[in-house]
Amino acid sequence: MLRFIRPVIYVCGFLVLILAGMMLAVGVFAWSRRDPETQVFLICAAIAAVSGAVMVLSCRRAQFNLIARQLYLLTSLSWVIMSLVGALPLIFSHSNLSLTDALFEAVSGITTTGSTVLSGLEHRPASLLLWRSLLQWLGGLGVIGMAVSILPFLRVGGMRLFHTESSDWSDKSVPRLQSLARLLLGTYFGISVACILSYWAAGMSLFDAINHAMTTVSTGGYATDDRSMGRFSHGILWIASLFMLLGALPFTMIITFLRRPAMDTLKNQQAIGLVFIIGTVSLMLTGVLIYQHQYEPFEALTHATFNLVSVITTTGYASTDYLGWGAFSVALFFLVMFIGGCSGSTSGGMKVFRFQLSYLFLRTQIRKLVHPSGVFITQYNGRRVQDEIIQSAVAFSFLFFLALAVITLLLALLGLDLLTSVSASATALTNVGPGVGEIIGPAGNFATLPAAAKWLLCFAMLLGRLELLTLMVLFTPIFWRG
């Protein structure tokens, strides 16, 4: 067993060292501003650095290759360890957060969910706000790397569909993987810088621009004020909508377009489907708001588009309390949170491609009912979809809704009302952030939930972020028997 787990601990050690470096950077930032949390971040950076160094040095080997079982364990364990280490500054801060609340905030950050137990954000130390944003930015990068490089190889939830040349593990070519990693990091960093400059030019302070850019591109949704994005101009809301959408698009498609700017590189069924859904539903929601005399036409279009993009990309920002838009709008927001963005993006949710595959599968079944002897080939992005991909997508969908039902029942058992139980479990599994209802809606937070409910939602956030099957396989006896 030790031989099996050593390479996993070795890699996780480097992740802890990365977090230590980030804590040190925030500590220096805090020192420059005479922030009260300076000592906290420096001490936590030292703890993380020592822990990471011990993990790396004790498990170092000359060379090793990770097999599928080790990759499952690495994928799950790395997110758990990053959540635990990321919670350290929150635990020891002067905000007097309990262990449960600190861990909830860290898990929500690293999984780019955006649910929070904090209030009065505008009065919190700048270092803590920056740390929350950094956790989401790092989490968004980790999501892309996992979705592009690891999940297709593990054949999780239909991700095998994206086992393309840009994420090909078949030859386990280290140089190619390193090149892909550099391209992903460069693209992610470049979009983040562009977002910072856009926000700053539109009127945000530099500090707000940096924080909101990191949580926009990562589709995380942490803000620096309890009003979320509601205190900014319409121009900033449109900029945010654009960069949230970019964060929800396949990064391999963006990389391909940047290297070869041509319209045919944008012919991605996922991306086209996401843009079509956003455009159609935004116009429909705008019409409803105008009909209800909620806003003037342009203001209605701005708020409808921004909040819809925020929910469907699982960012979780809010420009206003959209629960006041009526039952139809609330139901619409609740339903679209399940969709999510594209595979290989920073967003959560069930992903657009699974809904598209479900439609194609249903269409094929209907054709077979009409023509029992017919032979029908299902194609996606111009390629034939293998039966194993359909089976994996169906298994993922079944497990998703089973987990949704179980978590909802457990939350209800802990004393939460039905609406809060359903929306909390849904927003955790889809990594959206705010739920529905007065307690955890866009105008509330998760602070008043029982401690047991917060621990359960931490598990649900990790479960959703890891595409369910990656984490659930660790609870099967056959995994540990090999």
Side-chain angles (χ1 to χ4, degrees), residues 2-229:
L2 182 60
R3 186 178 180 182
F4 172 76
I5 202 172
R6 279 184 65 180
V8 175
I9 299 298
Y10 178 76
V11 176
C12 287
F14 280 106
L15 296 176
V16 173
L17 289 175
I18 291 173
L19 283 174
M22 292 171 57
M23 287 179 195
L24 180 60
V26 175
V28 173
F29 165 80
W31 173 78
S32 69
R33 296 182 56 136
R34 297 184 179 179
D35 192 296
E37 306 294 349
T38 300
Q39 190 174 6
V40 170
F41 276 99
L42 294 179
I43 292 174
C44 290
I47 294 172
V50 171
S51 302
V54 169
M55 294 168 69
V56 170
L57 295 176
S58 62
C59 298
R60 182 175 55 183
R61 291 177 59 184
Q63 187 177 5
F64 60 84
N65 293 314
L66 295 174
I67 61 175
R69 288 172 60 232
Q70 288 171 317
L71 280 174
Y72 278 115
L73 184 59
L74 171 62
T75 306
S76 301
L77 191 60
S78 61
W79 288 84
V80 173
I81 289 177
M82 285 195 297
S83 298
L84 293 172
V85 176
L88 289 177
L90 298 168
I91 293 172
F92 296 111
S93 72
H94 295 87
S95 297
N96 296 321
L97 293 177
S98 66
L99 173 63
T100 298
D101 284 348
L103 186 62
F104 181 92
E105 197 76 11
V107 171
S108 180
I110 205 72
T111 60
T112 70
T113 302
S115 302
T116 184
V117 295
L118 298 179
S119 58
L121 294 172
E122 59 273 24
H123 305 299
R124 300 279 179 176
S127 57
L128 281 184
L129 299 179
L130 181 60
W131 179 245
R132 293 165 77 243
S133 302
L134 276 169
L135 283 178
Q136 290 203 326
W137 191 83
L138 180 63
L141 180 62
V143 170
I144 301 169
M146 178 182 68
V148 171
S149 303
I150 297 177
L151 295 183
F153 171 71
L154 297 178
R155 307 187 181 194
V156 170
M159 290 288 188
R160 183 71 175 180
L161 187 65
F162 306 102
H163 193 254
T164 61
E165 289 185 2
S166 62
S167 58
D168 189 6
W169 280 74
S170 58
D171 59 359
K172 295 185 176 62
S173 173
V174 174
R176 291 181 64 187
L177 291 175
Q178 291 176 341
S179 175
L180 176 61
R182 285 194 296 268
L183 287 171
L184 288 174
L185 179 58
T187 304
Y188 189 65
F189 185 78
I191 293 176
S192 300
V193 171
C195 189
I196 291 172
L197 296 177
S198 299
Y199 277 149
W200 193 23
M204 276 192 185
S205 68
L206 182 58
F207 180 75
D208 278 339
I210 292 172
N211 279 272
H212 286 91
M214 287 192 288
T215 61
T216 298
V217 176
S218 65
T219 61
Y222 273 159
T224 58
D225 191 289
D226 285 353
R227 293 169 289 177
S228 189
M229 297 289 277

Side-chain angles (χ1 to χ4, degrees), residues 285-337:
L285 190 56
T286 300
V288 171
L289 293 179
I290 295 173
Y291 175 76
Q292 294 176 344
H293 304 289
Q294 295 267 8
Y295 302 101
E296 294 298 319
F298 179 72
E299 193 174 10
L301 178 63
T302 300
H303 286 295
T305 303
F306 172 81
N307 288 285
L308 179 74
V309 171
S310 177
V311 171
I312 205 170
T313 62
T314 71
T315 306
Y317 284 145
S319 63
T320 183
D321 186 2
Y322 46 76
L323 298 184
W325 292 356
F328 174 80
S329 299
V330 174
L332 187 65
F333 278 115
F334 180 74
L335 292 175
V336 298
M337 78 164 60

Side-chain angles (χ1 to χ4, degrees), residues 348-430:
M350 295 183 68
K351 303 294 188 299
V352 173
F353 84 92
R354 292 193 178 99
F355 288 91
Q356 292 174 322
L357 285 181
S358 298
Y359 167 74
L360 294 173
F361 180 66
L362 178 62
R363 187 181 65 178
T364 300
Q365 291 303 109
I366 292 174
R367 288 178 175 178
K368 286 182 177 179
L369 289 175
V370 179
H371 303 286
S373 302
V375 177
F376 304 98
I377 298 175
T378 302
Q379 288 192 327
Y380 189 84
N381 275 338
R383 295 189 301 162
R384 181 175 179 176
V385 180
Q386 303 295 328
D387 289 342
E388 66 166 317
I389 293 174
I390 297 291
Q391 292 166 4
S392 185
V394 170
F396 173 90
S397 301
F398 171 76
L399 183 58
F400 180 92
F401 287 107
L402 178 62
L404 179 68
V406 171
I407 294 169
T408 298
L409 289 173
L410 291 175
L411 290 175
L413 188 63
L414 293 171
L416 275 62
D417 63 88
L418 179 60
L419 180 60
T420 304
S421 299
V422 173
S423 65
S425 58
T427 194
L429 284 171
T430 56

Side-chain angles (χ1 to χ4, degrees), residues 251-262:
F251 267 65
T252 51
M253 183 192 77
I254 296 175
I255 290 171
T256 304
F257 179 77
L258 292 175
R259 298 178 74 183
R260 186 171 61 87

